[in-house]
């Protein structure tokens, strides 16, 4: 399949890919398993109606809302996720493993469960909701609820990517900078963050992508109203009830946006390393 | 790994069992035959149809009723994609028509129940709702079904008939989602079916309103064209549309067609 005629184990070094050939078959099946359903969606698209379907007022509202809320939740993930990853990667403390396990929990939790948990935290009858309502802040059925639901499920992606990058980078340079008299904040700004920038960037992009696809927690916690809380996934879910063509067209739109976002994330780090 | 393997084994065993049960089915005596009848029914029929299925199995020894509950339009999609249903019970005539249009209905569907909307509020009724008009008062957080689903279509009809326009804070995709927002106290009121309020028990308080009569939903039931056991399917439909079915449905809050 991949003949490198003169390559022999003795050549060593350059040409060796380190993969036994029989791996290609299951790898191809794995790739097909992901690609085939996408192809099936493509085959179902009603192309004649595609443009009108994805440019209807409801679709545009949903797309715009999805992009805006996902951007906001990514920002929220950065603001709280970066410090969290730093603490987890650099400062051993009691209960650290436990904390990490809990931070990663939304990765495996069914989103509906996340939605219920958020409801009992920020809802009107919730743990914080009552005090928030006294302060005049209402979260239920608002943009904010959507952003919170998205940030809840997206935060682990940022923390995992960044913590991995921090551990791989090690703290040699940071230690050197510190011995040269740099204050901790300066070290963070001038040494640590530039060092892990690729990991941080891909973590942020993954968070954005996850936010874009958020469905269960939003449905449970935020509700569904055009232009306010009905994001693209919720619009797809609703359209499926009455107009299968619209649901398929919107699915393709969401896939396209997701592919663009993820594609971006896997090009950027490489470029930055080169720069 | 071990768990997965065990699960797989369990799946295989149950598949084999199901297969052998199916293999046993033909040739049984009795006027209505025996075997398995698979009923696809609207989610709102869960409680009543589960009860009726037990009654059916008791009355026809050797038969088994397999139930599948979901939103009516989901069920139509599943059946048109080849799901092995014998009976389809829809929460509205629109979805039954979709199935007839696909030539997947055997004979004519029979209407067997009606359902009307009711206001559901949290037990304490924080917004002091007492009528449909109260739902349109400023500051009242009301949650309804989206017009794309049957309960939302009914809501729209009531709005049109009464001339009262609601400004909902959310339009949900299912009755369960509307109820969830009410029971959790997020919403001051929700519009669901009478039968849903009854099923929810004391988690919500129901408020009936005269305008609901303008938008009664009719539930039709029919044998699916590709059914392998039409005899048994018809027998089940007879039970649902007969006096016993009427009683169970009536107790749950469904109206007569």
């Amino acid at each position: 399949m991949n003949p490198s005629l003169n390559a022999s184990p003795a050549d060593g070094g350059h040409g060796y890919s380190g993969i036994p050939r029989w791996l290609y078959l299951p790898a191809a099946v794995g790739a097909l398993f992901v690609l085939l359903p996408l192809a099936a969606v493509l085959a179902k698209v009603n192309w004649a109606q595609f443009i009108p379907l994805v440019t209807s007022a409801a679709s545009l509202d949903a797309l715009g809302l999805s992009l805006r809320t996902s951007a906001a939740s990514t920002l929220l993930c950065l603001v709280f996720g970066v410090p969290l990853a730093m603490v987890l990667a650099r400062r051993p403390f009691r209960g650290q493993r436990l904390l990490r396990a809990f931070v990663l929990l939304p990765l495996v939790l069914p989103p509906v469960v996340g939605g219920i948990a958020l409801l009992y935290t920020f809802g009107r009858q919730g743990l914080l909701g009552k005090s928030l309502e006294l302060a005049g802040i209402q979260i239920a059925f608002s943009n904010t609820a959507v952003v919170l639901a998205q940030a809840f499920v997206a935060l682990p992606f940022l923390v995992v990517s960044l913590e991995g990058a921090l551990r791989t980078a090690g703290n040699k340079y940071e230690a050197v900078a510190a011995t040269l008299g740099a204050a901790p904040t300066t070290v963070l700004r001038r040494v640590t963050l530039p060092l892990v920038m690729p990991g941080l960037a891909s973590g942020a992009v993954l968070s954005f992508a996850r936010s874009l696809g958020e469905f269960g927690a939003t449905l449970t916690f935020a509700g569904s109203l055009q232009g306010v809380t009905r994001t693209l996934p919720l619009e797809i879910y609703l359209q499926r009830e009455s107009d299968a063509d619209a649901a398929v067209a919107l699915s393709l739109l969401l896939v396209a946006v997701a592919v663009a976002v993820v594609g971006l994330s896997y090009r950027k780090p490489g470029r930055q390393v080169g720069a | 790994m071990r768990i997965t393997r065990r699960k797989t084994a369990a799946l295989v065993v149950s598949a084999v069992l199901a297969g052998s049960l199916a293999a046993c089915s033909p040739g049984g005596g009795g006027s209505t035959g025996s075997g398995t009848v698979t009923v696809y029914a609207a989610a709102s029929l869960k409680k009543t149809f589960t009860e009726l299925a037990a009654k059916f199995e008791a009355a026809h020894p050797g038969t088994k009723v397999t139930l599948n509950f979901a939103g009516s339009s989901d069920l139509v999609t599943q059946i048109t994609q080849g799901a092995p249903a014998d009976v389809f019970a829809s929460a509205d005539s629109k979805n039954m028509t979709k199935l007839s249009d696909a030539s997947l209905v055997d004979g004519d569907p029979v209407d067997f129940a009606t359902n009307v909307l009711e206001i559901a509020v949290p037990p304490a009724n924080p917004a002091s709702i007492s009528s449909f008009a109260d739902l349109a008062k400023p500051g009242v957080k009301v949650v309804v079904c989206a017009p794309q689903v049957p309960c939302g279509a009914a809501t729209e009809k009531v709005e049109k008939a009464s001339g009262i326009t609601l400004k909902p804070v959310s339009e949900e995709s299912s009755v369960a989602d509307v109820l969830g927002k009410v029971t959790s106290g997020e919403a001051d009121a929700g519009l669901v079916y009478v039968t849903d309020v009854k099923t929810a028990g004391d988690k919500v308080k129901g408020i009936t309103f005269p305008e609901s009569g303008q938008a009664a939903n009719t539930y039709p039931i029919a044998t699916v064209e590709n059914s392998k056991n039409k005899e048994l399917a018809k027998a089940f439909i007879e039970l649902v549309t007969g006096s016993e079915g009427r009683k169970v449905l009536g107790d749950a809050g469904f109206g007569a067609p």
Side-chain angles (χ1 to χ4, degrees):
Chain A
M1 260 214 154
N2 189 11
S4 36
L5 290 172
N6 296 321
S8 73
D11 285 337
H14 307 299
Y16 184 61
S17 64
I19 296 178
R21 265 185 210 176
W22 55 266
L23 273 184
Y24 285 108
L25 184 66
V29 172
L32 272 182
F33 181 62
V34 176
L35 292 175
L36 213 55
L38 291 179
V41 170
L42 267 178
K44 268 282 178 189
V45 172
N46 178 352
W47 292 108
Q49 285 296 310
F50 182 74
I51 298 294
L53 284 175
V54 297
T55 52
S56 73
S59 305
L60 290 180
D61 275 353
L63 177 65
L65 181 71
S66 269
L67 292 175
R68 271 182 286 127
T69 51
S70 299
S73 67
T74 306
L75 198 68
L76 213 59
C77 286
L78 283 172
V79 169
F80 298 106
V82 172
L84 195 54
M86 299 275 312
V87 170
L88 284 174
R90 288 287 189 262
R91 280 262 158 189
F93 58 89
R94 244 163 177 269
Q96 186 178 30
R97 284 181 171 208
L98 203 64
L99 177 65
R100 180 182 297 114
F102 277 111
V103 169
L104 299 191
L105 205 56
L107 280 180
V108 292
L109 221 53
V112 182
V113 177
I116 291 172
L118 287 169
L119 198 60
Y120 290 134
T121 314
F122 297 103
R124 269 215 269 183
Q125 315 284 323
L127 217 54
L128 300 177
K130 277 181 201 158
S131 332
L132 286 172
E133 191 156 355
L134 284 178
I137 303 168
Q138 294 216 345
I139 290 179
F141 308 118
S142 69
N143 286 173
T144 318
V146 178
V147 173
L148 286 178
Q150 291 172 343
F152 183 77
V153 296
L155 186 65
F157 285 87
L158 187 95
V159 175
V160 170
S161 310
L162 186 57
E163 198 194 342
L166 281 165
R167 286 183 183 280
T168 313
N171 59 0
K172 266 185 294 181
Y173 297 107
E174 292 164 20
V176 170
T179 55
L180 292 176
T185 307
T186 316
V187 176
L188 172 71
R189 199 163 48 84
R190 302 287 299 271
V191 180
T192 316
L193 285 183
L195 212 55
V196 296
M197 203 35 103
L200 182 59
S202 73
V205 171
L206 281 177
S207 298
F208 184 84
R210 181 66 190 87
S211 299
L212 208 56
E214 213 306 302
F215 170 72
T218 311
L219 190 72
T220 320
F221 175 53
S224 172
L225 190 67
Q226 186 180 333
V228 184
T229 50
R230 190 175 294 150
T231 55
L232 206 43
L234 268 69
E235 177 71 23
I236 293 171
Y237 182 62
L238 183 62
Q239 286 299 346
R240 198 189 46 118
E241 292 281 344
S242 57
D243 187 352
D245 279 350
V248 171
L250 288 172
S251 303
L252 186 64
L253 182 67
L254 187 63
V255 168
V257 176
V259 165
V261 166
V262 175
L264 210 69
S265 86
Y266 283 104
R267 276 180 51 200
K268 238 185 175 165
R271 227 189 251 159
Q272 281 187 349
V273 165
Chain B
M1 212 37 191
R2 195 174 293 159
I3 290 170
T4 339
R5 204 174 289 164
R6 206 177 284 161
K7 259 190 194 162
T8 318
L11 274 176
V12 169
V13 167
S14 50
V16 169
L17 275 179
S20 53
L21 273 179
C24 286
S25 59
S31 55
T32 52
S34 57
T36 303
V37 58
T38 305
V39 178
Y40 278 36
S44 46
L45 295 167
K46 189 165 187 176
K47 203 173 140 240
T48 48
F49 269 45
T50 307
E51 200 178 329
L52 287 170
K55 280 187 198 290
F56 186 81
E57 284 170 357
H60 302 83
T63 62
K64 175 154 177 31
V65 181
T66 308
L67 296 164
N68 177 22
F69 298 105
S72 302
S73 68
D74 273 341
L75 294 173
V76 171
T77 309
Q78 289 169 17
I79 297 171
T80 49
Q81 297 288 332
D86 297 308
V87 174
F88 173 52
S90 169
D92 62 355
S93 17
K94 200 177 96 190
N95 280 298
M96 186 58 87
T97 309
K98 269 199 251 169
L99 201 64
S100 331
D101 288 349
S103 313
L104 282 169
V105 170
D106 179 50
D108 287 322
V110 187
D111 294 339
F112 67 96
T114 60
N115 212 350
V116 292
L117 293 176
E118 186 171 347
I119 301 167
V121 296
N125 196 0
S128 316
I129 305 291
S130 63
S131 69
F132 186 72
D134 284 349
L135 298 179
K137 282 195 301 196
V140 173
K141 290 191 174 190
V142 55
V143 175
V144 301
C145 288
Q148 285 90 335
V149 292
C151 57
T155 304
E156 232 176 18
K157 258 194 230 165
V158 172
E159 285 186 74
K160 261 193 201 126
S162 64
I164 296 164
T165 309
L166 302 180
K167 292 201 78 184
V169 290
S170 182
E171 296 174 351
E172 306 285 343
S173 308
S174 77
V175 168
D177 287 324
V178 174
L179 264 185
K181 301 287 190 296
V182 176
T183 52
S184 66
E186 287 307 294
D188 295 322
L191 274 175
V192 295
Y193 290 119
V194 169
T195 52
D196 302 311
V197 174
K198 235 179 180 159
T199 312
D202 36 334
K203 278 185 284 180
V204 298
K205 200 176 133 192
I207 297 159
T208 51
F209 57 101
E211 295 92 333
S212 68
Q214 309 281 350
N217 245 19
T218 308
Y219 284 57
I221 189 167
T223 311
V224 177
E225 180 59 47
N226 299 336
S227 165
K228 296 220 163 50
N229 206 342
K230 284 187 182 164
E231 284 282 291
L232 211 56
K234 294 209 164 89
F236 184 81
I237 293 175
E238 268 166 36
L239 173 78
V240 172
T241 51
S243 59
E244 212 161 354
R246 185 70 251 128
K247 191 187 169 309
V248 170
L249 288 160
D251 286 348
F254 287 101

